[in-house]
């Protein structure tokens, strides 16, 4: 029979899928001898069985729980049920899913207190402490079991303090009891009752924690983090220890390394004389963990020791909850800490240096998403220099974002759905705010520390966040925020810098460039492992420079059409297209050649002897034609023809399906002089640069080939031109390559016939996808969401390679090519280059390199390594 309950000390090889993450780690920590309050775990399966059939609880589980409680009483030498025994056992009931979902599910502390037992506790400790515990129990129980908002209780307590004119620390017994009766009245108003019997409390709490698996915020969180709904949550029942029993007691959260930056060393916060969630909830702003060294030195030293031990054991940065009861340290939880992408990279790098993990493990741990996050926006330095921040909080999660301010999660969601960029401003966030947080660009809180709910959740999502910005006085009612003399209202724009914690008025411009030393090093590790190389799609000097800075091994695709679009050039291009006679046409060609030569020279100077594939002109001619009446007039004047005639000529060039029309190599067949001009420009620039000692091997690529005869004809034309150039310059021929794109299904199917005429191949996955699905890539956005809604397609084939269809064509082509020519390079240029799944497939089918836009290079390099791990 399946076991439903395990004590911490007994589960061999604790499994988070059975015990939940929290339970498994409590078992491990107990077993390696750390100071853990005693307890047991009810399995995740019990949760799922109960959720399907509530009778399971009374019929099966309740008896087993009672037995476990008796065993816990034995183990702790304390009593859970009796109202006469001073040796009280109080417990916490803690949820714990297989994957950590911070704050998403429920926990109740101090279970086992009631009207009689609170007096026993008071006798043993003190009045204020005992009633603090009891009030918390009443409050949490109401929240978790009956969904009565906690605020009701807080307001009551505040009012009682006002009425009695003293703090609850100073209340008399009668005053405490008055408040307790008022707390109970909140239950009664709803026809409910707080159970006095500890066992009833325990059963209700366990069921409620089971049920919290299905609460709205937990569901949303699971969806966001792709966690299965069928895992269920375990329940941990654990002896209470008290961080709220005086000034030698405390509770806190520490990370073994800084979760925002990754810096090594204890990082965290604590509160003296506090319990449980006080630190995370952001109600009081906590103290820096380093103060503990002077406040409770012995406990601090122990903490330092155990946290290091835990890090060694798990070989990863740990997020640890602890409580100190009258000077004695207890650990209550450990898990691999959530962290920013920047921290993840720093930590993995350091762990390799410290020989805790190897490079492969580091590469396994760093996700491609982490890199995307790391290439986060930052505000332009120039703009920052000119602006003064109006507030500063804690830099809880890096990034930079601007948007309109809003004060509730709900409004954030509404405004975002209307297309606004919003910044969510709260005193503190709570798990209910999750949907609004997702919809925001950044989160700012006035209370709470680096481990508050807002900070943890934002870091998990890679979202910019500033917490504990105490200068902000947020008024949710009037929807204003005051900071000194400055008053901002809902809808005003602010800019938030999560890296510095600074907040500015108005919108600041962002940049994306981020060349991190550590990242570069890790990517070099990736290059050592990867077999698929990474090139860039780039043609402007800026893009090429970026690509080289990101360590591209070359340029996989330099398009030439963009080079014709500036004002002078396009006019010349138009003249070329519309010219009536040879003479005019040649004049235009000469001019264009001159422009292109300068372009190519500049590009080669940057790229030097790395490979660079220049693709000859691809788009249909009409893309270059005038659009406005003014442009038309200008052109007519320039060409000295009348407008009507010009219009007629242009109309003739229009096509029904330009993407399937007169473009790519088809242009070279009707107008060979255009490619000839481009080849001249390429070779002239190469000849000049080779003289200065750069060993360039020009690579020229012909687009949109479907048929071998197209390629052989164009190759012949180009080679004739090249030989002419060599002869005219009286130079020894040097090596060059002429290759083709594979971007039409027919080219893939007939790749064997192309192979004799191509020195290299490059799959253009954008066009190949377009031509294989018959989806126009310029129009797909209009209907793809219907496909997604109806689960007809679950992905966008322009972003993630369609391995089954498009990929199959690629496979056929590669087999054809390799059967004839083993050595010819086969690459891929297209947006899928930075996508890990696509790269995995491309490596499998034997592609030599992928070429993607410069900013995707780091991701592609990592993905290429991951494909080999
Ligand atoms: P979460 O998963 O939301 O962090 P936890 O189950 O960890 O919820 O509990 C919430 C808070 O209560 C934590 O700060 C934890 O340290 C504290 N806590 C839980 N169990 C005990 C206990 N037995 N004694 C003292 N504090 C506890
Ligand atoms: Mg909780
Ligand atoms: Mg916890």
């Amino acid at each position: 029979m399946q076991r439903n309950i395990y004590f911490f000390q007994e589960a061999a090889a604790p499994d988070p899928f059975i015990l939940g993450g929290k339970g498994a780690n409590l078992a491990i920590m107990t077993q390696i001898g750390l100071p853990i309050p005693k307890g047991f775990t009810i399995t995740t399966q019990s949760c799922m069985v109960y959720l399907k059939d509530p009778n399971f609880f009374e019929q099966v589980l309740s008896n087993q729980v009672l037995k476990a409680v008796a065993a816990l009483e034995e183990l702790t030498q304390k009593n859970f049920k009796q109202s006469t025994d001073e040796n009280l056992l109080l417990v916490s009931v803690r949820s714990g899913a297989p994957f950590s979902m911070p704050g998403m599910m429920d926990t109740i502390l101090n279970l086992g207190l009631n009207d009689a037992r609170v007096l026993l506790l008071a006798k043993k400790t003190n009045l204020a402490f005992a009633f603090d515990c009891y009030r918390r129990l009443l409050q949490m129980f109401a929240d978790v079991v009956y969904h009565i908002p906690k605020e009701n209780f807080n307001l009551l307590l505040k009012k009682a303090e006002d009425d009695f004119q003293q703090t609850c620390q100073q209340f008399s017994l009668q005053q405490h009891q008055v408040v307790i009766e008022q707390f109970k009245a909140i239950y009664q108003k709803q026809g409910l009752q707080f159970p006095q019997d500890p066992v009833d409390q325990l059963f209700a709490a366990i069921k409620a924690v089971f049920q919290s698996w299905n609460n709205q915020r937990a569901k949303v969180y699971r969806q966001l983090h792709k966690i299965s709904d069928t895992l269920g949550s375990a329940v941990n029942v654990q002896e209470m220890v008290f961080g709220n029993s005086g000034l030698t007691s405390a509770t806190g959260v520490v990370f073994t390394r800084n979760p925002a930056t990754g810096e090594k060393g204890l990082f965290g916060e604590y509160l003296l004389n506090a319990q449980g969630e006080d630190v995370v909830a952001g109600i009081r702003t906590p103290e820096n963990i380093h103060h503990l060294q002077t406040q409770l030195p012995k406990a601090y030293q122990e903490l330092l020791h155990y946290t290091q031990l835990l890090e060694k054991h798990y070989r990863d940065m740990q997020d640890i909850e602890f409580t100190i009861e009258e000077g004695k340290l207890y650990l209550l939880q450990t898990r691999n800490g959530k962290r920013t992408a920047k921290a993840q990279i720093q930590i993995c790098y350091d762990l390799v240096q410290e020989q805790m993990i190897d490079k492969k493990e580091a590469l396994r741990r760093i996700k491609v998403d982490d890199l995307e996050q790391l290439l986060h926006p930052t505000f332009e330095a120039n703009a920052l220099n000119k602006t003064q921040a109006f507030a500063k909080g804690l830099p809880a999660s890096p990034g930079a974002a601007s948007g309109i301010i809003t004060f509730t999660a709900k409004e954030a969601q509404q405004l975002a759905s209307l297309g606004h960029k919003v910044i969510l401003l709260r005193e503190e966030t709570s798990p209910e705010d999750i949907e609004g947080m997702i919809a925001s660009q950044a989160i700012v809180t006035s209370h709470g520390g680096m481990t508050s709910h807002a900070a943890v959740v934002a870091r998990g999502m890679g979202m910019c966040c500033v917490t504990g910005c105490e200068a902000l006085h947020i008024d949710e009612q009037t929807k204003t925020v005051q900071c000194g003399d400055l008053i901002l209202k809902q809808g005003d724009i602010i800019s938030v810098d999560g890296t510095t914690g600074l907040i500015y008025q108005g919108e600041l411009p962002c940049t994306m460039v981020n060349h991190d030393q550590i990242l570069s090093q890790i990517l070099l590790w990736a290059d050592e492992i990867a077999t698929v190389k990474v090139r860039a799609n780039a043609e402007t000097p800026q893009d090429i420079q970026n690509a080289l800075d990101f360590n591209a091994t070359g340029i996989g695709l330099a398009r030439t059409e963009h080079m014709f679009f500036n004002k002078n050039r396009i006019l010349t291009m138009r003249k070329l297209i519309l010219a009536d006679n040879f003479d005019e046409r040649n004049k235009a060609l000469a001019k264009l050649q001159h422009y292109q030569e300068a372009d190519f020279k500049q590009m080669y100077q940057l790229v030097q002897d790395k490979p660079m594939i220049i693709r000859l002109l691809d788009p249909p001619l009409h893309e270059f034609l005038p659009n406005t009446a003014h442009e038309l007039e200008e052109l007519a004047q320039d060409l000295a023809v009348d407008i009507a005639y010009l219009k007629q000529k242009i109309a003739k060039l229009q096509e029904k399906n330009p993407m399937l029309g007169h473009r790519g190599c088809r242009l070279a067949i009707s107008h060979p002089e255009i490619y000839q001009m481009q080849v001249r420009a390429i070779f002239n620039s190469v000849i000049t640069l080779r003289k200065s000692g750069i060993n360039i091997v020009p690579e020229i690529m012909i687009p949109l080939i479907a048929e071998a005869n197209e390629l052989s004809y164009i190759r012949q034309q180009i080679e004739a031109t090249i030989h002419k150039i060599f002869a005219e310059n009286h130079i020894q021929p040097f090596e060059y390559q002429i290759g083709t794109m594979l971007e039409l299904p027919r080219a893939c199917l007939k790749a064997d016939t192309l192979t004799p005429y191509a020195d290299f191949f490059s799959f253009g996955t954008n066009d190949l996808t377009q031509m294989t699905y018959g989806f126009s890539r310029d129009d797909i956005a209009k209907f793809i969401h219907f496909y997604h809604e109806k689960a007809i397609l679950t992905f966008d084939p322009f972003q993630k390679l369609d391995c089954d269809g498009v990929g199959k064509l690629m496979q056929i082509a590669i087999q054809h090519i390799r059967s004839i020519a083993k050595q010819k390079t086969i690459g891929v240029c297209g947006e899928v280059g930075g996508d890990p799944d696509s790269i995995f497939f491309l490596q499998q089918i034997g592609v030599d390199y992928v070429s993607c836009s410069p900013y995707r290079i780091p991701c592609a390099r990592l993905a290429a390594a991951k494909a080999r791990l």
Side-chain angles (χ1 to χ4, degrees), residues 185-296:
I186 294 180
Y187 284 73
Q188 279 146 17
K189 236 185 265 162
Q190 314 223 5
L192 302 165
Q193 196 116 45
F194 173 74
Q196 287 289 316
D197 181 348
V199 171
D200 290 345
Q201 292 172 14
L202 182 61
F203 285 177
I206 294 171
K207 290 182 199 170
V209 171
F210 281 160
Q211 281 157 7
S212 72
W213 177 253
N214 279 334
N215 70 31
Q216 182 61 20
R217 58 180 199 248
K219 282 189 189 163
V220 172
Y221 189 92
R222 287 201 293 271
Q223 227 170 27
L224 184 70
H225 292 269
K226 303 199 176 72
I227 298 172
S228 157
D229 285 331
T230 63
L231 295 173
S233 174
V235 176
N236 302 287
V237 177
Q238 187 176 27
E239 174 190 11
M240 281 302 300
V241 289
F242 297 99
N244 55 337
S245 56
L247 289 174
T248 56
S249 300
T251 184
V253 180
V254 286
F255 293 82
T256 53
R257 295 168 197 248
N258 184 317
T261 65
E263 191 190 342
K264 191 175 176 173
L266 217 50
F267 174 93
E269 295 159 333
Y270 72 102
L271 282 169
L272 278 188
N273 198 15
Q275 189 171 53
E277 302 203 297
D278 293 0
V279 176
V280 212
I283 296 162
R284 281 156 62 188
T285 299
E287 300 253 10
N288 186 309
I289 192 66
H290 296 295
H291 292 167
L292 190 66
Q293 195 164 9
T294 44
Q295 277 186 321
L296 297 169

Side-chain angles (χ1 to χ4, degrees), residues 141-403:
F141 192 92
D143 175 31
V144 174
V145 179
Y146 295 130
H147 312 291
I148 303 173
K150 290 186 218 166
E151 287 69 41
N152 296 356
F153 296 91
N154 289 337
L155 290 176
L156 257 182
L157 181 62
K158 255 192 210 141
K159 190 167 170 300
E161 286 183 324
D162 287 348
D163 290 349
F164 299 144
Q165 296 192 352
Q166 45 197 341
T167 70
C168 58
Q169 297 288 325
Q170 302 154 327
F171 283 0
S172 69
L173 174 62
Q174 282 70 27
Q175 288 171 330
H176 278 303
Q177 285 173 329
V178 168
V179 175
I180 293 296
E181 287 313 309
Q182 289 176 344
F183 273 28
K184 286 192 202 159
I186 294 180
Y187 284 73
Q188 279 146 17
K189 236 185 265 162
Q190 314 223 5
L192 302 165
Q193 196 116 45
F194 173 74
Q196 287 289 316
D197 181 348
V199 171
D200 290 345
Q201 292 172 14
L202 182 61
F203 285 177
I206 294 171
K207 290 182 199 170
V209 171
F210 281 160
Q211 281 157 7
S212 72
W213 177 253
N214 279 334
N215 70 31
Q216 182 61 20
R217 58 180 199 248
K219 282 189 189 163
V220 172
Y221 189 92
R222 287 201 293 271
Q223 227 170 27
L224 184 70
H225 292 269
K226 303 199 176 72
I227 298 172
S228 157
D229 285 331
T230 63
L231 295 173
S233 174
V235 176
N236 302 287
V237 177
Q238 187 176 27
E239 174 190 11
M240 281 302 300
V241 289
F242 297 99
N244 55 337
S245 56
L247 289 174
T248 56
S249 300
T251 184
V253 180
V254 286
F255 293 82
T256 53
R257 295 168 197 248
N258 184 317
T261 65
E263 191 190 342
K264 191 175 176 173
L266 217 50
F267 174 93
E269 295 159 333
Y270 72 102
L271 282 169
L272 278 188
N273 198 15
Q275 189 171 53
E277 302 203 297
D278 293 0
V279 176
V280 212
I283 296 162
R284 281 156 62 188
T285 299
E287 300 253 10
N288 186 309
I289 192 66
H290 296 295
H291 292 167
L292 190 66
Q293 195 164 9
T294 44
Q295 277 186 321
L296 297 169
K298 192 170 152 284
Y300 179 84
Q301 285 311 325
E302 269 177 27
L303 183 65
L304 201 59
H305 172 68
Y306 290 132
T307 53
Q308 283 167 359
L309 210 100
L310 282 173
E311 194 180 78
K312 280 227 176 70
H313 181 86
Y314 289 99
R315 299 184 306 132
D316 200 359
M317 183 266 263
Q318 296 298 295
D319 164 357
I320 297 160
E321 288 174 7
F322 67 92
T323 285
I324 299 165
E325 182 182 272
E326 295 174 6
K328 168 139 184 47
L329 174 72
Y330 293 92
L331 302 183
L332 287 164
Q333 186 173 350
T334 193
R335 59 185 166 208
N336 293 341
K338 295 216 182 296
R339 63 203 75 176
T340 62
K342 182 175 165 53
Q344 172 68 335
I345 279 161
Q346 182 75 49
I347 289 168
C348 287
Y349 178 80
D350 289 343
L351 290 178
V352 170
Q353 306 306 314
E354 294 162 32
Q355 300 186 336
M356 277 210 249
I357 60 174
D358 62 13
K359 290 178 189 173
K360 281 189 176 168
E361 176 61 19
L363 291 168
R364 241 177 248 126
R365 286 186 187 181
I366 297 169
K367 297 204 201 71
V368 173
D369 278 355
D370 288 334
L371 293 202
E372 304 231 12
Q373 268 186 43
L374 193 62
L375 304 165
H376 252 329
T378 51
F379 291 126
E380 275 177 18
N382 256 341
L384 288 181
N385 288 339
K386 283 187 226 139
T387 326
Q388 192 80 42
F390 70 87
K392 182 170 177 18
L394 302 171
S397 180
S402 303

Side-chain angles (χ1 to χ4, degrees), residues 22 95 101-107 217 277 431:
K22 198 180 286 166
S95 61
M101 301 168 40
M104 287 302 125
M105 298 180 55
D106 295 323
T107 287
R217 58 180 199 248
E277 302 203 297

Side-chain angles (χ1 to χ4, degrees), residues 425-477:
L425 221 59
R426 310 267 303 146
E427 288 196 334
E428 67 213 58
T429 64
S430 76
E432 287 86 40
D433 294 335
I434 180 88
E435 287 168 283
M437 293 169 79
I438 295 171
S440 305
Q441 304 294 313
I443 298 155
V444 176
T445 67
S446 55
H447 299 326
M450 292 290 281
T451 55
S452 65
H453 178 264
V456 173
V457 172
R459 277 199 295 273
M461 295 192 290
M463 175 183 289
C464 171
C465 175
V466 171
T467 58
C469 197
E470 302 279 349
L472 299 181
H473 296 283
I474 294 171
D475 189 338
E476 216 180 279
Q477 297 307 314

Side-chain angles (χ1 to χ4, degrees), residues 101 178 254 276 292 313 397 447 479 491 499 538 567 581 607 626 638 658 676 679 702 722 730 737 777 863 867:
M101 301 168 40
V178 168
V254 286
L292 190 66
H313 181 86
S397 180
H447 299 326
K479 299 192 178 172
T499 317
K567 197 165 183 311
N581 59 53
V607 178
D638 238 78
Q676 278 164 8
V679 169
I702 319 294
I722 294 174
H730 308 290
Q737 296 201 340
R777 61 178 139 134

